Amino acid sequence: MDSLVIEGCAVATVDGTAAGVITAADTGAEYESGHLVLQDGRITAVGAGPAPTVAGARVVDGGGCLATPGLIGTHHHLFQGLTRGQAQDGSLVRWLATLYPQWARLDPDRHGAAARAGLATLALSGCSAIADHHYLFPRGGGDLLAAGVGAARQIGLRLHACRGSLDIGASTGGLPPDDVTEDRDEILAATERAIDSFHDDGPGAMTRVAVAPCAPFTVSEQLMRESAELARRKGVRLHTHLAETRDEHDFCQERFGCTPAEYLESLGWLGGDVWVAHGVHLDRVGITRLGKTGTGVAHCPTSNARLGAGIAPVPELLAARAPVGLGVDGAAANDNGGLAAEMRQSLLAARARQGATALSARQALAVATMGGARCLGRQDEIGSLEVGKQADVALWRLDDLGHSPIADPVWALVCGPPARLELLTVAGLPVVEGGQLRTADPAALAREVRDAARALMAASASRR
Ligand SMILES: [Zn+2]
Protein backbone atom coordinates (compact mmCIF):
# COMPACT_ATOMS: atom_id res chain seq x y z
CA MET A 1 0.00 0.00 0.00
CA ASP A 2 1.33 3.42 -1.00
CA SER A 3 0.93 5.66 2.06
CA LEU A 4 1.89 9.21 2.85
CA VAL A 5 1.33 11.03 6.13
CA ILE A 6 1.48 14.81 6.48
CA GLU A 7 1.41 16.14 10.04
CA GLY A 8 2.13 19.16 12.17
CA CYS A 9 0.61 21.55 9.63
CA ALA A 10 -2.37 23.86 9.70
CA VAL A 11 -5.21 22.37 7.64
CA ALA A 12 -7.98 24.16 5.75
CA THR A 13 -10.32 21.42 4.56
CA VAL A 14 -12.86 23.59 2.63
CA ASP A 15 -15.32 20.80 3.45
CA GLY A 16 -18.25 23.07 4.23
CA THR A 17 -19.11 24.16 0.70
CA ALA A 18 -20.27 21.06 -1.15
CA ALA A 19 -23.85 22.30 -1.27
CA GLY A 20 -22.64 25.37 -3.07
CA VAL A 21 -22.77 27.83 -0.22
CA ILE A 22 -19.55 29.82 -0.08
CA THR A 23 -20.05 32.35 2.69
CA ALA A 24 -17.57 34.80 4.14
CA ALA A 25 -17.73 33.29 7.60
CA ASP A 26 -17.51 29.54 7.19
CA THR A 27 -16.05 27.43 4.42
CA GLY A 28 -15.36 24.31 6.45
CA ALA A 29 -13.32 22.74 9.21
CA GLU A 30 -9.85 24.10 9.92
CA TYR A 31 -7.15 22.76 12.26
CA GLU A 32 -4.37 24.88 13.71
CA SER A 33 -2.20 21.78 13.86
CA GLY A 34 -3.47 18.71 12.09
CA HIS A 35 -2.75 15.78 9.83
CA LEU A 36 -3.64 14.03 6.61
CA VAL A 37 -3.18 10.40 5.60
CA LEU A 38 -3.08 9.57 1.88
CA GLN A 39 -3.34 5.93 0.85
CA ASP A 40 -3.64 4.47 -2.63
CA GLY A 41 -4.56 7.79 -4.15
CA ARG A 42 -7.24 8.75 -1.65
CA ILE A 43 -7.50 10.63 1.63
CA THR A 44 -8.03 8.13 4.44
CA ALA A 45 -7.72 10.45 7.43
CA VAL A 46 -7.82 14.18 8.11
CA GLY A 47 -8.13 15.92 11.45
CA ALA A 48 -6.59 17.71 14.39
CA GLY A 49 -3.40 16.70 16.18
CA PRO A 50 -0.92 13.99 15.22
CA ALA A 51 -1.74 11.38 12.59
CA PRO A 52 -2.64 7.82 13.50
CA THR A 53 0.23 5.38 13.07
CA VAL A 54 0.35 4.02 9.53
CA ALA A 55 2.78 1.14 9.05
CA GLY A 56 5.32 1.73 6.29
CA ALA A 57 4.08 5.22 5.50
CA ARG A 58 6.36 8.03 4.43
CA VAL A 59 5.91 10.89 6.91
CA VAL A 60 6.16 14.54 5.87
CA ASP A 61 6.75 17.12 8.60
CA GLY A 62 4.29 19.93 7.83
CA GLY A 63 5.57 22.32 10.54
CA GLY A 64 5.17 25.96 9.43
CA CYS A 65 2.91 24.94 6.54
CA LEU A 66 -0.77 25.00 5.57
CA ALA A 67 -2.43 22.06 3.81
CA THR A 68 -5.26 22.86 1.43
CA PRO A 69 -6.99 20.99 -1.37
CA GLY A 70 -5.05 21.18 -4.65
CA LEU A 71 -6.24 24.23 -6.58
CA ILE A 72 -8.50 23.69 -9.59
CA GLY A 73 -8.12 25.74 -12.75
CA THR A 74 -11.39 26.08 -14.64
CA HIS A 75 -10.31 28.03 -17.74
CA HIS A 76 -7.00 28.08 -19.56
CA HIS A 77 -5.65 28.08 -23.11
CA LEU A 78 -2.31 26.31 -22.84
CA PHE A 79 -1.37 26.96 -26.47
CA GLN A 80 -1.31 30.70 -25.77
CA GLY A 81 1.83 30.18 -23.69
CA LEU A 82 3.70 30.53 -27.00
CA THR A 83 2.66 34.18 -27.37
CA ARG A 84 3.11 35.63 -23.88
CA GLY A 85 4.07 39.26 -23.54
CA GLN A 86 2.62 40.43 -26.85
CA ALA A 87 -0.10 42.99 -27.69
CA GLN A 88 0.60 44.47 -24.29
CA ASP A 89 -1.85 47.36 -24.55
CA GLY A 90 -4.51 45.74 -26.73
CA SER A 91 -8.15 45.26 -25.86
CA LEU A 92 -9.55 41.79 -26.50
CA VAL A 93 -10.26 42.38 -30.20
CA ARG A 94 -6.88 43.99 -30.95
CA TRP A 95 -5.11 41.37 -28.89
CA LEU A 96 -6.85 38.58 -30.84
CA ALA A 97 -6.14 40.22 -34.21
CA THR A 98 -2.43 40.36 -33.34
CA LEU A 99 -2.16 36.79 -32.16
CA TYR A 100 -4.43 34.79 -34.51
CA PRO A 101 -1.94 34.79 -37.42
CA GLN A 102 0.72 33.32 -35.12
CA TRP A 103 -1.60 30.75 -33.59
CA ALA A 104 -2.47 29.63 -37.13
CA ARG A 105 1.03 28.06 -37.27
CA LEU A 106 0.42 25.83 -34.26
CA ASP A 107 1.45 22.17 -34.57
CA PRO A 108 1.58 19.27 -32.08
CA ASP A 109 5.27 19.80 -31.19
CA ARG A 110 4.83 23.51 -30.50
CA HIS A 111 1.60 22.91 -28.60
CA GLY A 112 3.22 20.14 -26.57
CA ALA A 113 6.03 22.49 -25.52
CA ALA A 114 3.53 25.21 -24.53
CA ALA A 115 1.34 22.75 -22.67
CA ARG A 116 4.19 21.21 -20.67
CA ALA A 117 5.48 24.67 -19.70
CA GLY A 118 2.00 25.88 -18.78
CA LEU A 119 1.15 22.77 -16.79
CA ALA A 120 4.48 22.91 -14.93
CA THR A 121 3.79 26.54 -14.00
CA LEU A 122 0.34 25.56 -12.77
CA ALA A 123 1.72 22.66 -10.73
CA LEU A 124 4.28 24.93 -9.08
CA SER A 125 1.41 27.22 -8.06
CA GLY A 126 -0.51 24.43 -6.33
CA CYS A 127 -2.86 23.47 -9.15
CA SER A 128 -3.77 19.79 -9.32
CA ALA A 129 -6.54 19.84 -11.98
CA ILE A 130 -6.94 22.08 -15.01
CA ALA A 131 -9.49 22.72 -17.75
CA ASP A 132 -7.71 23.56 -21.00
CA HIS A 133 -10.04 25.23 -23.50
CA HIS A 134 -8.41 24.43 -26.83
CA TYR A 135 -10.33 25.99 -29.74
CA LEU A 136 -7.51 26.48 -32.25
CA PHE A 137 -7.17 23.75 -34.86
CA PRO A 138 -5.31 24.98 -37.96
CA ARG A 139 -6.14 23.00 -41.07
CA GLY A 140 -3.71 20.10 -41.41
CA GLY A 141 -2.30 20.97 -37.99
CA GLY A 142 -2.16 17.42 -36.58
CA ASP A 143 -3.64 16.01 -33.39
CA LEU A 144 -3.29 18.95 -31.00
CA LEU A 145 -5.66 17.55 -28.38
CA ALA A 146 -3.52 14.40 -28.10
CA ALA A 147 -0.44 16.60 -27.59
CA GLY A 148 -2.16 18.35 -24.68
CA VAL A 149 -3.29 15.08 -23.12
CA GLY A 150 0.28 13.72 -23.41
CA ALA A 151 1.68 16.84 -21.73
CA ALA A 152 -0.74 16.54 -18.79
CA ARG A 153 0.18 12.88 -18.32
CA GLN A 154 3.86 13.79 -18.27
CA ILE A 155 3.52 16.63 -15.77
CA GLY A 156 1.01 14.64 -13.70
CA LEU A 157 -2.04 16.93 -13.47
CA ARG A 158 -5.69 16.05 -14.01
CA LEU A 159 -6.80 17.46 -17.34
CA HIS A 160 -10.24 18.45 -18.56
CA ALA A 161 -9.53 18.77 -22.28
CA CYS A 162 -12.19 21.11 -23.64
CA ARG A 163 -12.44 20.41 -27.38
CA GLY A 164 -13.12 23.88 -28.76
CA SER A 165 -13.97 25.06 -32.23
CA LEU A 166 -14.34 28.01 -34.62
CA ASP A 167 -16.56 27.79 -37.69
CA ILE A 168 -16.82 31.45 -38.76
CA GLY A 169 -13.66 32.86 -40.37
CA ALA A 170 -12.64 36.19 -41.88
CA SER A 171 -14.25 35.46 -45.24
CA THR A 172 -17.70 35.14 -43.62
CA GLY A 173 -17.41 38.08 -41.24
CA GLY A 174 -15.49 36.52 -38.36
CA LEU A 175 -12.24 37.67 -36.76
CA PRO A 176 -10.07 34.53 -37.06
CA PRO A 177 -8.25 33.74 -40.32
CA ASP A 178 -10.10 31.12 -42.35
CA ASP A 179 -7.28 28.59 -41.95
CA VAL A 180 -7.99 28.16 -38.23
CA THR A 181 -11.69 27.47 -38.77
CA GLU A 182 -13.25 24.10 -39.45
CA ASP A 183 -16.40 22.85 -41.07
CA ARG A 184 -19.24 22.18 -38.61
CA ASP A 185 -19.57 18.48 -39.41
CA GLU A 186 -15.80 18.05 -39.13
CA ILE A 187 -15.85 19.75 -35.72
CA LEU A 188 -18.61 17.54 -34.37
CA ALA A 189 -17.00 14.35 -35.71
CA ALA A 190 -13.55 15.30 -34.33
CA THR A 191 -15.08 16.21 -30.96
CA GLU A 192 -16.87 12.87 -30.76
CA ARG A 193 -13.61 11.08 -31.63
CA ALA A 194 -11.84 13.04 -28.87
CA ILE A 195 -14.47 11.96 -26.34
CA ASP A 196 -14.19 8.32 -27.46
CA SER A 197 -10.37 8.45 -27.33
CA PHE A 198 -9.67 10.36 -24.12
CA HIS A 199 -12.74 10.80 -21.90
CA ASP A 200 -12.58 8.72 -18.73
CA ASP A 201 -15.91 8.69 -16.92
CA GLY A 202 -14.63 6.68 -13.96
CA PRO A 203 -13.86 7.86 -10.43
CA GLY A 204 -10.47 9.53 -10.02
CA ALA A 205 -10.17 10.11 -13.78
CA MET A 206 -7.00 11.87 -14.90
CA THR A 207 -8.46 12.87 -18.28
CA ARG A 208 -11.93 14.06 -19.17
CA VAL A 209 -13.21 15.78 -22.30
CA ALA A 210 -15.75 18.60 -22.59
CA VAL A 211 -17.42 20.07 -25.68
CA ALA A 212 -16.39 23.72 -25.96
CA PRO A 213 -17.15 25.95 -28.99
CA CYS A 214 -15.06 29.11 -28.61
CA ALA A 215 -17.84 31.62 -27.83
CA PRO A 216 -21.51 32.01 -28.80
CA PHE A 217 -20.62 35.08 -30.89
CA THR A 218 -17.63 33.61 -32.72
CA VAL A 219 -19.27 30.36 -33.83
CA SER A 220 -22.54 29.69 -35.60
CA GLU A 221 -25.83 29.19 -33.79
CA GLN A 222 -26.09 25.70 -35.34
CA LEU A 223 -22.69 24.75 -33.95
CA MET A 224 -23.74 25.88 -30.46
CA ARG A 225 -26.95 23.84 -30.63
CA GLU A 226 -25.39 20.73 -32.12
CA SER A 227 -22.49 20.90 -29.66
CA ALA A 228 -24.97 20.84 -26.78
CA GLU A 229 -26.77 17.88 -28.34
CA LEU A 230 -23.48 16.01 -28.78
CA ALA A 231 -22.35 16.66 -25.21
CA ARG A 232 -25.66 15.49 -23.76
CA ARG A 233 -25.74 12.38 -25.95
CA LYS A 234 -22.21 11.48 -24.81
CA GLY A 235 -22.70 12.49 -21.17
CA VAL A 236 -19.90 15.08 -21.05
CA ARG A 237 -19.85 18.72 -19.96
CA LEU A 238 -20.15 21.95 -21.96
CA HIS A 239 -17.88 24.98 -21.81
CA THR A 240 -17.60 28.30 -23.66
CA HIS A 241 -16.77 31.99 -23.15
CA LEU A 242 -19.59 34.33 -22.07
CA ALA A 243 -20.05 38.04 -21.37
CA GLU A 244 -16.34 38.84 -21.33
CA THR A 245 -16.58 42.40 -22.69
CA ARG A 246 -19.03 45.28 -22.88
CA ASP A 247 -18.76 45.06 -26.68
CA GLU A 248 -20.14 41.53 -26.59
CA HIS A 249 -23.08 42.71 -24.49
CA ASP A 250 -23.82 45.57 -26.93
CA PHE A 251 -23.43 43.32 -29.98
CA CYS A 252 -25.89 40.85 -28.51
CA GLN A 253 -28.47 43.53 -27.74
CA GLU A 254 -28.18 44.90 -31.27
CA ARG A 255 -28.23 41.56 -33.06
CA PHE A 256 -30.59 39.48 -30.91
CA GLY A 257 -32.34 42.02 -28.69
CA CYS A 258 -31.27 40.20 -25.53
CA THR A 259 -28.32 39.81 -23.15
CA PRO A 260 -25.53 37.27 -23.74
CA ALA A 261 -26.90 35.06 -20.93
CA GLU A 262 -30.41 35.14 -22.44
CA TYR A 263 -28.97 34.25 -25.84
CA LEU A 264 -27.02 31.34 -24.33
CA GLU A 265 -30.16 30.12 -22.59
CA SER A 266 -32.09 30.26 -25.89
CA LEU A 267 -29.49 27.87 -27.32
CA GLY A 268 -30.15 25.32 -24.56
CA TRP A 269 -26.85 26.15 -22.93
CA LEU A 270 -27.72 26.95 -19.31
CA GLY A 271 -27.63 24.01 -16.93
CA GLY A 272 -25.77 22.04 -14.30
CA ASP A 273 -23.58 20.46 -17.00
CA VAL A 274 -22.31 23.83 -18.28
CA TRP A 275 -19.65 26.26 -17.09
CA VAL A 276 -18.71 29.47 -18.86
CA ALA A 277 -15.58 31.62 -18.75
CA HIS A 278 -15.62 35.23 -17.48
CA GLY A 279 -19.24 36.32 -16.93
CA VAL A 280 -18.01 39.89 -16.44
CA HIS A 281 -20.97 41.72 -18.00
CA LEU A 282 -23.92 39.88 -16.49
CA ASP A 283 -27.03 41.70 -15.33
CA ARG A 284 -29.12 40.78 -12.29
CA VAL A 285 -31.45 38.56 -14.32
CA GLY A 286 -28.51 36.72 -15.88
CA ILE A 287 -26.86 36.13 -12.50
CA THR A 288 -30.13 34.75 -11.12
CA ARG A 289 -30.55 32.42 -14.13
CA LEU A 290 -26.98 31.10 -13.81
CA GLY A 291 -27.59 30.42 -10.13
CA LYS A 292 -31.00 28.78 -10.64
CA THR A 293 -29.73 26.52 -13.43
CA GLY A 294 -26.45 25.67 -11.67
CA THR A 295 -24.39 27.03 -14.57
CA GLY A 296 -20.80 27.59 -13.45
CA VAL A 297 -18.53 30.58 -14.05
CA ALA A 298 -14.76 30.46 -14.44
CA HIS A 299 -13.60 33.77 -12.93
CA CYS A 300 -10.35 35.03 -14.54
CA PRO A 301 -9.63 38.29 -12.70
CA THR A 302 -6.08 38.92 -13.95
CA SER A 303 -6.98 38.37 -17.60
CA ASN A 304 -10.06 40.57 -17.24
CA ALA A 305 -7.92 43.33 -15.76
CA ARG A 306 -5.06 42.90 -18.25
CA LEU A 307 -7.42 43.23 -21.23
CA GLY A 308 -9.48 45.97 -19.55
CA ALA A 309 -12.65 43.88 -19.72
CA GLY A 310 -13.95 44.70 -16.24
CA ILE A 311 -14.59 42.87 -12.96
CA ALA A 312 -16.97 39.91 -12.74
CA PRO A 313 -19.78 40.12 -10.15
CA VAL A 314 -18.42 37.26 -8.05
CA PRO A 315 -20.15 38.14 -4.74
CA GLU A 316 -23.51 38.30 -6.54
CA LEU A 317 -22.86 34.99 -8.33
CA LEU A 318 -21.94 33.32 -5.02
CA ALA A 319 -25.07 34.76 -3.39
CA ALA A 320 -27.11 33.34 -6.28
CA ARG A 321 -25.40 29.96 -5.59
CA ALA A 322 -23.85 29.71 -9.03
CA PRO A 323 -20.71 27.56 -8.99
CA VAL A 324 -17.72 29.91 -9.34
CA GLY A 325 -14.17 28.68 -9.98
CA LEU A 326 -10.91 30.44 -10.83
CA GLY A 327 -9.00 30.53 -14.09
CA VAL A 328 -5.69 31.86 -15.36
CA ASP A 329 -7.17 32.22 -18.86
CA GLY A 330 -4.49 31.95 -21.52
CA ALA A 331 -1.00 32.84 -20.36
CA ALA A 332 -0.95 35.39 -23.21
CA ALA A 333 -3.73 37.33 -21.45
CA ASN A 334 -2.22 36.94 -18.02
CA ASP A 335 1.56 36.54 -18.35
CA ASN A 336 1.78 35.02 -14.89
CA GLY A 337 0.40 31.56 -15.57
CA GLY A 338 0.15 30.57 -11.90
CA LEU A 339 -3.21 29.82 -10.33
CA ALA A 340 -2.48 30.71 -6.69
CA ALA A 341 -2.03 34.38 -7.65
CA GLU A 342 -5.63 34.44 -8.91
CA MET A 343 -6.91 33.98 -5.33
CA ARG A 344 -5.31 37.27 -4.32
CA GLN A 345 -6.42 38.96 -7.53
CA SER A 346 -10.03 37.79 -7.05
CA LEU A 347 -10.14 39.16 -3.51
CA LEU A 348 -8.64 42.51 -4.49
CA ALA A 349 -10.80 42.88 -7.61
CA ALA A 350 -14.00 42.15 -5.68
CA ARG A 351 -13.04 44.64 -2.95
CA ALA A 352 -11.98 47.32 -5.45
CA ARG A 353 -15.45 47.03 -6.95
CA GLN A 354 -17.59 46.62 -3.87
CA GLY A 355 -15.73 47.36 -0.66
CA ALA A 356 -13.79 45.53 2.02
CA THR A 357 -16.41 42.89 2.81
CA ALA A 358 -17.03 41.85 -0.81
CA LEU A 359 -14.95 38.66 -0.69
CA SER A 360 -13.05 37.05 2.21
CA ALA A 361 -9.79 35.11 1.97
CA ARG A 362 -11.69 31.94 2.85
CA GLN A 363 -14.15 32.56 0.03
CA ALA A 364 -11.25 33.09 -2.37
CA LEU A 365 -9.72 29.76 -1.29
CA ALA A 366 -13.11 28.01 -1.57
CA VAL A 367 -13.65 29.41 -5.07
CA ALA A 368 -10.18 28.15 -6.06
CA THR A 369 -10.95 24.63 -4.79
CA MET A 370 -14.56 23.49 -4.23
CA GLY A 371 -15.92 26.15 -6.57
CA GLY A 372 -13.70 24.80 -9.31
CA ALA A 373 -14.68 21.22 -8.54
CA ARG A 374 -18.35 22.18 -8.93
CA CYS A 375 -17.65 23.87 -12.28
CA LEU A 376 -16.06 20.61 -13.49
CA GLY A 377 -18.83 18.46 -11.95
CA ARG A 378 -16.35 16.76 -9.61
CA GLN A 379 -17.41 18.05 -6.19
CA ASP A 380 -17.74 14.47 -4.90
CA GLU A 381 -14.13 13.65 -5.83
CA ILE A 382 -11.89 16.69 -5.50
CA GLY A 383 -11.94 20.26 -4.15
CA SER A 384 -11.87 19.56 -0.40
CA LEU A 385 -9.86 17.53 2.10
CA GLU A 386 -12.29 14.82 3.19
CA VAL A 387 -11.96 11.11 3.82
CA GLY A 388 -12.67 9.17 0.63
CA LYS A 389 -11.80 12.00 -1.73
CA GLN A 390 -8.90 11.98 -4.18
CA ALA A 391 -5.54 12.71 -2.56
CA ASP A 392 -4.97 16.05 -4.32
CA VAL A 393 -3.23 18.11 -1.65
CA ALA A 394 -1.17 21.31 -1.63
CA LEU A 395 1.18 22.02 1.29
CA TRP A 396 2.29 25.65 1.43
CA ARG A 397 5.20 27.09 3.48
CA LEU A 398 4.02 30.06 5.52
CA ASP A 399 6.70 30.55 8.20
CA ASP A 400 9.12 32.38 5.92
CA LEU A 401 9.96 36.05 5.54
CA GLY A 402 7.17 36.63 3.04
CA HIS A 403 4.43 35.47 5.41
CA SER A 404 5.67 36.09 8.97
CA PRO A 405 4.13 37.09 11.31
CA ILE A 406 0.65 36.71 9.75
CA ALA A 407 -1.20 34.53 12.27
CA ASP A 408 -4.06 33.42 10.01
CA PRO A 409 -2.63 30.88 7.53
CA VAL A 410 -5.49 31.25 5.03
CA TRP A 411 -5.04 35.01 4.92
CA ALA A 412 -1.25 34.53 4.58
CA LEU A 413 -1.73 32.14 1.66
CA VAL A 414 -4.29 34.24 -0.21
CA CYS A 415 -2.97 37.74 0.44
CA GLY A 416 0.74 37.22 1.05
CA PRO A 417 3.32 36.73 -1.71
CA PRO A 418 3.15 33.46 -3.70
CA ALA A 419 3.92 30.76 -1.14
CA ARG A 420 6.58 28.11 -1.67
CA LEU A 421 4.93 24.78 -2.32
CA GLU A 422 6.47 22.14 -0.07
CA LEU A 423 4.35 19.40 -1.57
CA LEU A 424 1.72 18.92 -4.23
CA THR A 425 0.15 15.51 -4.63
CA VAL A 426 -2.23 14.42 -7.36
CA ALA A 427 -3.94 11.12 -6.62
CA GLY A 428 -1.41 10.78 -3.79
CA LEU A 429 1.63 11.03 -6.06
CA PRO A 430 4.10 13.89 -5.46
CA VAL A 431 4.26 16.29 -8.43
CA VAL A 432 6.07 19.09 -6.55
CA GLU A 433 8.34 18.62 -3.55
CA GLY A 434 10.43 21.19 -1.70
CA GLY A 435 9.42 23.82 -4.24
CA GLN A 436 10.78 21.67 -7.10
CA LEU A 437 8.85 20.01 -9.90
CA ARG A 438 9.35 16.25 -9.65
CA THR A 439 8.02 15.24 -13.06
CA ALA A 440 10.13 17.36 -15.46
CA ASP A 441 13.09 19.74 -15.57
CA PRO A 442 11.77 23.34 -15.58
CA ALA A 443 14.94 24.66 -17.29
CA ALA A 444 14.42 22.21 -20.16
CA LEU A 445 10.72 23.13 -20.38
CA ALA A 446 11.63 26.83 -20.55
CA ARG A 447 14.13 26.13 -23.35
CA GLU A 448 11.57 24.08 -25.28
CA VAL A 449 8.86 26.72 -25.07
CA ARG A 450 11.29 29.47 -26.11
CA ASP A 451 12.37 27.45 -29.15
CA ALA A 452 8.75 26.63 -30.01
CA ALA A 453 7.69 30.30 -29.71
CA ARG A 454 10.53 31.37 -32.02
CA ALA A 455 9.58 28.70 -34.55
CA LEU A 456 5.94 29.79 -34.41
CA MET A 457 6.86 33.43 -34.97
CA ALA A 458 9.20 32.55 -37.85
CA ALA A 459 6.57 30.33 -39.49
CA SER A 460 3.90 33.03 -39.24
CA ALA A 461 6.29 35.72 -40.64
CA SER A 462 7.19 33.54 -43.64
CA ARG A 463 3.50 33.09 -44.51
CA ARG A 464 2.72 36.80 -44.71
ZN1 LIG B 1 -10.44 32.34 -22.49
Side-chain angles (χ1 to χ4, degrees), residues 75-77 80 133 135 241 244 277-278 300 303 329-330:
H75 185 69
H76 208 304
H77 310 288
Q80 293 181 8
H133 186 187
Y135 55 82
H241 291 97
E244 179 172 0
H278 302 305
C300 306
S303 167
D329 206 0

Side-chain angles (χ1 to χ4, degrees), residues 153-223:
R153 286 180 183 158
Q154 185 182 338
I155 302 300
L157 300 194
R158 296 186 199 278
L159 176 70
H160 282 237
C162 307
R163 206 297 181 182
S165 49
L166 291 162
D167 70 341
I168 302 176
S171 65
T172 48
L175 188 63
D178 285 342
D179 57 0
V180 300
T181 64
E182 302 171 282
D183 168 78
R184 196 168 75 249
D185 290 338
E186 265 173 45
I187 289 166
L188 294 165
T191 306
E192 184 156 4
R193 275 198 306 278
I195 296 166
D196 292 341
S197 302
F198 300 119
H199 183 71
D200 177 357
D201 217 8
M206 291 298 290
T207 311
R208 289 200 174 156
V209 176
V211 182
C214 185
F217 311 99
T218 57
V219 308
S220 66
E221 183 181 330
Q222 295 95 309
L223 180 57

Side-chain angles (χ1 to χ4, degrees), residues 54-382:
V54 181
R58 180 185 159 204
V59 179
V60 172
D61 175 7
C65 297
L66 168 68
T68 70
L71 308 186
I72 296 171
T74 53
H75 185 69
H76 208 304
H77 310 288
L78 289 168
F79 73 90
Q80 293 181 8
L82 294 166
T83 54
R84 292 169 75 188
Q86 299 190 41
Q88 292 178 6
D89 305 319
S91 64
L92 179 63
V93 170
R94 283 192 55 190
W95 177 88
L96 282 169
T98 305
L99 300 184
Y100 263 132
Q102 294 177 52
W103 296 341
R105 306 279 80 83
L106 197 62
D107 67 19
D109 286 347
R110 292 167 190 161
H111 179 47
R116 284 188 295 277
L119 290 159
T121 304
L122 287 163
L124 287 164
S125 70
C127 173
S128 53
I130 181 70
D132 181 33
H133 186 187
H134 191 97
Y135 55 82
L136 217 287
F137 293 89
R139 288 185 192 158
D143 196 342
L144 298 172
L145 214 72
V149 170
R153 286 180 183 158
Q154 185 182 338
I155 302 300
L157 300 194
R158 296 186 199 278
L159 176 70
H160 282 237
C162 307
R163 206 297 181 182
S165 49
L166 291 162
D167 70 341
I168 302 176
S171 65
T172 48
L175 188 63
D178 285 342
D179 57 0
V180 300
T181 64
E182 302 171 282
D183 168 78
R184 196 168 75 249
D185 290 338
E186 265 173 45
I187 289 166
L188 294 165
T191 306
E192 184 156 4
R193 275 198 306 278
I195 296 166
D196 292 341
S197 302
F198 300 119
H199 183 71
D200 177 357
D201 217 8
M206 291 298 290
T207 311
R208 289 200 174 156
V209 176
V211 182
C214 185
F217 311 99
T218 57
V219 308
S220 66
E221 183 181 330
Q222 295 95 309
L223 180 57
M224 289 300 292
R225 290 187 189 282
E226 289 173 24
S227 293
E229 284 164 19
L230 172 65
R232 284 164 184 152
R233 177 162 60 80
K234 302 293 281 186
V236 303
R237 298 178 78 76
L238 281 163
H239 182 53
T240 193
H241 291 97
L242 185 77
E244 179 172 0
T245 64
R246 185 75 213 173
D247 288 350
E248 179 186 321
H249 176 88
D250 296 345
F251 171 84
C252 196
Q253 286 289 355
E254 226 167 81
R255 180 91 171 259
F256 306 107
C258 63
T259 66
E262 285 166 342
Y263 178 58
L264 200 68
E265 183 156 29
S266 77
L267 299 171
W269 261 76
L270 293 193
D273 58 349
V274 182
W275 85 107
V276 297
H278 302 305
V280 173
H281 296 278
L282 293 167
D283 65 6
R284 193 180 46 76
V285 175
I287 291 166
T288 304
R289 290 301 299 151
L290 291 180
K292 281 237 156 51
T293 56
T295 308
V297 177
H299 175 44
C300 306
T302 298
S303 167
N304 296 151
R306 203 265 205 194
L307 295 173
I311 300 173
V314 168
E316 293 95 321
L317 285 162
L318 293 177
R321 298 201 176 189
V324 180
L326 280 188
V328 164
D329 206 0
N334 181 311
D335 301 294
N336 177 313
L339 189 56
E342 297 303 309
M343 291 192 286
R344 183 173 197 269
Q345 186 72 15
S346 68
L347 180 144
L348 296 179
R351 292 184 178 200
R353 178 174 163 267
Q354 272 192 322
T357 58
L359 199 75
S360 73
R362 280 164 178 76
Q363 285 175 298
L365 175 63
V367 165
T369 53
M370 269 307 286
R374 290 182 70 215
C375 284
L376 302 185
R378 302 190 73 168
Q379 59 271 31
D380 297 333
E381 287 190 284
I382 55 177

